[in-house]
Amino acid sequence: MVFDQLMHHFDEKSLQQCYRRLDRKAASGSDGVTKAQYGERLGENITDLVGRLKRMAYRPSAVKEVMIAREGQREASRPLGISNFVDKIVQKRFQEVLEAIYEPLFYNNSYGFRPKRSCHDAIKALHQHLYSHNTKVVIDLDLSNYFGSIDHEYLMSLLEQKISDRRFLRYIRRMLTCGILGDAGFRRSDEGVAQGSVCSPVLANIFADFVLDDWFENTVKVHCREEVALFRYADDAVICCNSEEDAERIRKALESRLSKYGLALNQAKTSLVKFDKWDRIGSGAFDFLGFTFYLGKTRYGRTIPKLKSSGKKLRSKLRAVNQWCKRHRNEYRLAELWQRFCVKLRGHVQYYGVSFNGQAVDGFLKKSIFMFLKWINRRSQKRSMTYEQFKNYMSLYPPPKVYVVHKLY
């Protein structure tokens, strides 16, 4: 089915619902308007916005660019785009309409930024596949600057296959080409989608679904001699192969497939990892969504796939904990500081509390608590408490416990 009338979905009621769904704590764009400020005259603002959308008078403002540090790196090197609040409302509605059209068409091997799907769904599906299939080699994929390399013309041609509403498509193009406002001033956005934009995840998924998922399902699987499987979360993906020969052929074909659409593999991070349950000594490990997958033994001596927190991620998060304790040690009294600190620990347990990973989570909590004690003892020249006193304090106000939040089997 091709959709030829979509702009009637942008009415006052739907845009007010989008307003309520947006995060009130999110950073403001270049105009500095927050959700609370926009909501002071919500009815008038939404009515004016709907009128501009109908007249084709709405034009998105330039996206404010903020550089944030990559995981494990001190230099700010990854761009994050922050739109004005009124643009976030419009983008939210475009996201909902696009998801309604494309969600039924996406393949089941895609998990990133999709309703009712999460990182842990992807991790569980990958672990179950490795456990139940005779995987020999895993292709650990990493796309170089994926969000910033999406070709606008290819993306628009994909959208035109399902959408013939010209006004809807014109607004999509306006969002893609609204420009970027960085430290060096304004510059045009000739390619890519702003990472951090409300609408960019679904647009990136539409592009990846055609370039990678559809090609893999309808071309790669047909020409492989043995079973292969793809697991993708946004631009992070792995391919499980039952044959080394198939893995080599897929690795070579990937480069030409991606280059055809303006994408490229990160050669430093893309690798073929031997992952053979029947040859555990010669097998390696690979990272996926913050976890390291490796082959281990059960208590009965069987070799099975296991996972643990990625060492790189753990070191990065411990540095972040140390910086947080150092920065906030004098801002709050001990009770409130400890409460806020435990919230952060609880968030770590909620994500990394999966099967096989209890030891790594427990080690992270102990090291983090030790850092907390170190920095509260540096709030003044006089030491606040000894380790024994702090243990008594934790017995009264215990930190989060380690437990399996997400079972993989």
Side-chain angles (χ1 to χ4, degrees):
M1 180 177 179
V2 177
F3 297 83
D4 57 359
Q5 296 292 332
L6 292 175
M7 289 306 298
H8 67 278
H9 294 291
F10 291 74
D11 55 12
E12 293 187 17
K13 181 179 179 181
S14 63
L15 292 178
Q16 285 187 3
Q17 290 176 344
C18 293
Y19 165 83
R20 287 189 285 270
R21 289 168 185 155
L22 291 172
D23 184 6
R24 62 182 177 86
K25 297 182 180 179
S28 57
S30 57
D31 62 355
V33 176
T34 63
K35 181 176 182 178
Q37 293 171 337
Y38 190 87
E40 291 175 358
R41 302 174 60 186
L42 181 61
E44 296 178 23
N45 290 333
I46 293 296
T47 301
D48 176 69
L49 178 58
V50 172
R52 285 190 287 147
L53 285 168
K54 288 181 178 179
R55 301 192 308 269
M56 293 300 296
Y58 167 74
R59 290 190 175 275
S61 302
V63 177
K64 183 174 75 172
E65 184 181 61
V66 178
M67 304 302 291
I68 61 174
R70 287 186 181 274
E71 198 75 41
Q73 299 180 10
R74 294 184 179 180
E75 297 82 6
S77 56
R78 185 162 66 92
L80 184 69
I82 303 175
S83 303
N84 290 346
F85 189 79
V86 63
D87 296 332
K88 292 179 182 178
I89 295 175
V90 178
Q91 290 172 14
K92 182 65 178 176
R93 191 56 182 158
F94 272 97
Q95 174 206 356
E96 293 173 349
V97 173
L98 288 171
E99 280 183 352
I101 295 172
Y102 284 95
E103 183 61 27
L105 306 178
F106 288 151
Y107 289 94
N108 288 328
N109 57 21
S110 169
Y111 294 87
F113 306 110
R114 293 181 59 185
K116 299 181 181 179
R117 286 181 170 234
S118 66
C119 297
H120 296 97
D121 293 327
I123 292 166
K124 184 174 182 179
L126 174 58
H127 178 266
Q128 289 179 344
H129 180 89
L130 293 171
Y131 182 85
S132 58
H133 292 75
N134 190 26
T135 301
K136 292 289 194 304
V137 178
V138 172
I139 307 175
D140 186 8
L141 295 180
D142 188 90
L143 301 181
S144 179
N145 188 26
Y146 172 66
F147 281 84
S149 302
I150 294 177
D151 187 281
H152 290 172
E153 297 306 322
Y154 279 127
L155 177 59
M156 293 305 299
S157 65
L158 292 177
L159 294 175
E160 288 170 1
Q161 294 177 13
K162 293 294 297 179
I163 300 170
S164 62
D165 187 334
R166 308 311 303 174
R167 295 169 63 205
F168 186 91
L169 294 172
R170 282 178 65 187
Y171 276 130
I172 291 288
R173 187 177 287 278
R174 286 183 185 182
M175 283 193 292
L176 294 174
T177 59
C178 63
I180 299 170
L181 193 61
D183 294 335
F186 176 83
R187 69 177 188 272
R188 295 181 58 185
S189 49
D190 296 325
E191 63 178 4
V193 294
Q195 194 167 355
S197 168
V198 178
C199 196
S200 61
V202 65
L203 291 174
N205 263 340
I206 293 170
F207 197 71
D209 177 76
F210 172 75
V211 175
L212 192 58
D213 299 350
D214 185 72
W215 170 74
F216 185 85
E217 292 292 330
N218 298 310
T219 303
V220 173
K221 284 189 174 182
V222 173
H223 292 87
C224 284
R225 296 181 179 179
E226 297 191 37
E227 186 178 8
V228 292
L230 169 68
F231 299 88
R232 182 179 65 82
Y233 190 95
D235 58 340
D236 195 0
V238 295
I239 299 176
C240 302
C241 306
N242 287 17
S243 165
E244 294 185 18
E245 182 181 354
D246 286 339
E248 292 286 353
R249 292 171 61 206
I250 294 172
R251 173 68 174 80
K252 292 178 181 178
L254 264 172
E255 293 188 17
S256 59
R257 174 67 179 181
L258 295 175
S259 63
K260 180 180 178 181
Y261 297 97
L263 303 177
L265 290 173
N266 187 333
Q267 300 294 341
K269 295 183 179 180
T270 300
S271 59
L272 270 66
V273 181
K274 186 177 180 182
F275 206 84
D276 190 351
K277 288 182 288 189
W278 308 108
D279 185 13
R280 177 170 171 257
I281 297 177
S283 296
F286 64 93
D287 289 351
F288 184 61
L289 299 180
F291 291 91
T292 297
F293 285 75
Y294 67 99
L295 291 174
K297 284 189 175 293
T298 66
R299 67 182 68 180
Y300 304 109
R302 289 181 56 212
T303 299
I304 62 170
K306 293 185 175 183
L307 66 161
K308 60 183 178 181
S309 301
S310 168
K312 180 181 176 181
K313 294 284 186 181
L314 274 183
R315 290 189 293 272
S316 175
K317 291 186 179 298
L318 285 172
R319 284 195 296 269
V321 167
N322 190 62
Q323 290 298 319
W324 186 90
C325 294
K326 179 180 178 180
R327 186 183 309 115
H328 298 285
R329 67 186 188 275
N330 290 314
E331 291 185 11
Y332 312 100
R333 291 183 177 273
L334 178 61
E336 186 176 356
L337 186 67
W338 175 248
Q339 184 180 14
R340 290 172 178 267
F341 180 73
C342 287
V343 169
K344 294 187 173 296
L345 296 186
R346 196 170 294 112
H348 185 89
V349 175
Q350 287 291 325
Y351 185 82
Y352 287 96
V354 302
S355 305
F356 310 113
N357 198 38
Q359 185 176 355
V361 175
D362 184 61
F364 176 85
L365 296 188
K366 288 179 179 177
K367 291 177 182 177
S368 300
I369 291 171
F370 180 79
M371 290 178 183
F372 181 88
L373 176 61
K374 179 188 75 172
W375 285 109
I376 64 169
N377 280 330
R378 295 187 181 183
R379 294 194 292 183
S380 65
Q381 294 180 345
K382 182 179 178 181
R383 188 167 66 170
S384 298
M385 61 178 67
T386 65
Y387 182 69
E388 292 300 323
Q389 290 173 328
F390 190 64
K391 284 176 65 177
N392 293 333
Y393 182 83
M394 287 194 296
S395 65
L396 295 174
Y397 307 99
K401 294 183 179 180
V402 179
Y403 68 103
V404 177
V405 184
H406 308 279
K407 295 181 179 180
L408 300 181
Y409 54 89

